[in-house]
Amino acid sequence: MMAVDYPTAKSTIMEEAMKKIKVTKTTKSRLSEVDFNNLVFGKKYADHMLVADFDGKEWKNAEILPFQHLSVSPSNAAWHYGQAIFEGIKAYQDQEGNPMIFRPYDNYARFNISAERMGMPDMPEWLFIGGMAMLIDLDRGWVPGNTGCSLYLRPFMIAADEFIGVRPSDTYKFMIINSPSGPYFNKPIHLLVQDKYIRAFPGGVGYAKAAGNYGGAMYPTMQARKQGYDQILWVDGQEHKYLQECGTMNVFVVIGNRAYTPDLTNGTILAGVTRISVMEILNDMGLEVIEGPISIDDVVKAYKDGTLREVFGTGTASSVAYVEHLDYKDHQIRLDTTKYDVGAEVINRLDAIRTGKTADDKGWNFKI
Ligand SMILES: *Cc1c(COP(=O)(O)O)cnc(C)c1O
């Protein structure tokens, strides 16, 4: 049986999950095929996956089974109208080599916020958290232990009706697949402040981790890549000047002894779990953290007067990504990322917590 030592609330969830989720183990693990020293993001998948169906009333057929293809009708509603949401979470090894999931309850809460915005059903805790914990327990060998590496967990939900009329689906599928991953951006990034294309508007779906947000960003990002940038730093759609976020990362700007990050009030920015973690860490480090509107003009001004110290992105996939170039119209901001002592300290503290090197005073790790 499983060597699980959860706090009471968590063990209750595991017990419920174990009663409700059928497990079929693989007879042939693919673990030995993985080169943990050369992990490429999102290419290889762990031995098992979780699948469950929503039948219009409740979640059922919850099952953990060997990773495999699905058989899906061409009329599947998700393919046509994009009722699809996802999450990104990471599991790390602690100092004893046991898996820990970083802040999964925060992602669970956000998943339900995304589901509501997209007219999709609420996810029960036993399925999302309990199912994920069972899956990691079973595939614990897939959680990398080397520096900067982790098991990337991808829970997602899609519409499942076989119907091409435009309406919310009655049925849905929930799945979790897991991919061992190395460092996502291992070099500093170059960003273009985009003021032609817009990612999200107030009243839209920017705050949901909904598939369509990414589909809509592909073309502008492709254009930016052709010009040599890694990502776009999105600004608001009304005044084209207030920073939102970039790619799948929230953004931080360090000016003097203050760290600024855009506030979430108008619903155009994804509320990153890394974002709130980094805000707390910056605060612990003695910086003043300011959540509020930041205009690109303020960033340019700080650069010109020499007070702009660092710009970095934060996200589960990339952790903390240093921004080296930031271009906006004819302004070219060039930063020396070898001097990023704030960003470096944030990464150190975050890594130390996620891998159990320092005490988890904040209760961020879900131990398996
Ligand atoms: C996932 C995501 C982030 C980062 O969120 P984390 O919870 O820190 O991974 C930021 N912006 C967008 C658009 C995202 O999809």
Side-chain angles (χ1 to χ4, degrees):
M1 270 308 288
M2 296 187 280
V4 194
D5 182 22
Y6 294 111
T8 320
K10 290 175 185 169
S11 67
T12 312
I13 272 307
M14 282 291 287
E15 274 169 29
E16 188 179 349
M18 284 188 277
K19 276 187 209 134
K20 292 182 173 166
I21 302 174
K22 182 182 159 195
V23 179
T24 309
K25 292 187 188 172
T26 183
T27 51
K28 197 177 170 299
S29 172
R30 289 173 285 101
L31 188 54
S32 62
E33 295 165 19
V34 181
D35 176 2
F36 279 92
N37 293 315
N38 288 296
L39 292 170
V40 184
F41 183 81
K43 294 263 186 189
K44 296 258 194 238
Y45 292 91
D47 282 330
H48 299 90
M49 63 182 191
L50 180 145
V51 185
D53 299 314
F54 186 78
D55 66 359
K57 288 200 189 71
E58 57 177 356
W59 286 98
K60 55 192 213 187
N61 308 332
E63 194 177 354
I64 287 173
L65 68 177
F67 186 90
Q68 59 193 266
H69 290 174
L70 303 173
S71 171
V72 182
S73 165
S75 69
N76 171 279
W79 290 1
H80 300 270
Y81 309 120
Q83 244 190 326
I85 59 170
F86 66 96
E87 269 306 326
I89 304 176
K90 277 181 171 174
Y92 297 83
Q93 269 186 26
D94 69 10
Q95 296 301 298
E96 282 78 51
N98 296 310
M100 302 199 290
I101 311 176
F102 187 70
R103 303 192 73 162
Y105 277 92
D106 294 85
N107 297 85
Y108 168 56
R110 188 171 70 193
F111 196 69
N112 280 333
I113 289 169
S114 300
E116 183 188 40
R117 180 61 183 84
M118 298 303 288
M120 301 168 90
D122 210 55
M123 181 62 47
E125 189 182 344
W126 66 264
L127 184 53
F128 190 99
I129 298 284
M132 180 179 293
M134 282 177 69
L135 195 56
I136 303 308
D137 193 39
L138 186 60
D139 279 340
R140 53 176 58 231
W142 287 82
V143 181
N146 33 352
T147 311
C149 300
S150 56
L151 186 64
Y152 182 80
L153 320 180
R154 169 52 60 87
F156 62 104
M157 193 204 305
I158 57 168
D161 280 8
E162 296 179 7
F163 179 65
I164 55 166
V166 181
R167 60 147 171 76
S169 190
D170 289 325
T171 63
Y172 293 86
K173 207 171 249 313
F174 172 68
M175 304 187 62
I176 306 178
I177 57 175
N178 303 326
S179 176
S181 70
Y184 190 75
F185 290 114
N186 40 27
K187 60 177 182 59
I189 58 171
H190 297 178
L191 297 181
L192 173 67
V193 175
Q194 171 62 265
D195 58 0
K196 176 175 178 188
Y197 300 103
I198 297 302
R199 178 188 174 274
F201 277 93
V205 297
Y207 68 90
K209 224 168 163 79
N213 283 338
Y214 307 86
M218 299 289 175
Y219 178 73
T221 306
M222 259 165 61
Q223 302 301 103
R225 291 238 166 96
K226 277 189 198 149
Q227 298 175 57
Y229 300 98
D230 298 292
Q231 292 281 339
I232 287 168
L233 176 53
W234 302 101
V235 288
D236 75 288
Q238 283 144 317
E239 298 182 58
H240 298 268
K241 67 177 196 184
Y242 292 105
L243 307 191
Q244 290 184 338
E245 56 185 319
C246 50
T248 58
M249 292 186 293
N250 294 111
V251 64
F252 285 80
V253 177
V254 183
I255 298 175
N257 207 31
R258 292 183 168 151
Y260 296 84
T261 194
D263 60 290
L264 308 174
T265 42
N266 71 9
T268 54
I269 296 174
L270 206 283
V273 177
T274 320
R275 175 184 179 276
I276 45 168
S277 308
V278 168
M279 284 169 65
E280 210 169 307
I281 289 171
L282 286 167
N283 212 38
D284 292 349
M285 285 164 54
L287 275 88
E288 188 184 346
V289 181
I290 298 165
E291 233 185 324
I294 317 162
S295 77
I296 184 62
D297 302 325
D298 292 339
V299 180
V300 170
K301 184 172 164 291
Y303 178 61
K304 287 193 174 150
D305 69 23
T307 53
L308 178 65
R309 288 168 66 191
E310 304 184 15
V311 180
F312 51 80
T314 66
T316 297
S318 49
S319 208
V320 175
Y322 298 166
V323 177
E324 185 175 48
H325 293 186
L326 179 58
D327 290 357
Y328 168 61
K329 295 191 170 152
D330 47 8
H331 301 289
Q332 298 191 324
I333 296 178
R334 297 289 175 269
L335 295 160
D336 181 0
T337 59
T338 62
K339 301 213 169 80
Y340 272 27
D341 46 355
V342 175
E345 180 65 14
V346 168
I347 295 176
N348 283 343
R349 292 192 185 209
L350 198 53
D351 271 351
I353 297 172
R354 292 186 299 206
T355 56
K357 273 189 213 115
T358 51
D360 178 21
D361 299 334
K362 302 170 194 296
W364 285 347
N365 294 317
F366 184 130
K367 292 187 178 211
I368 306 289

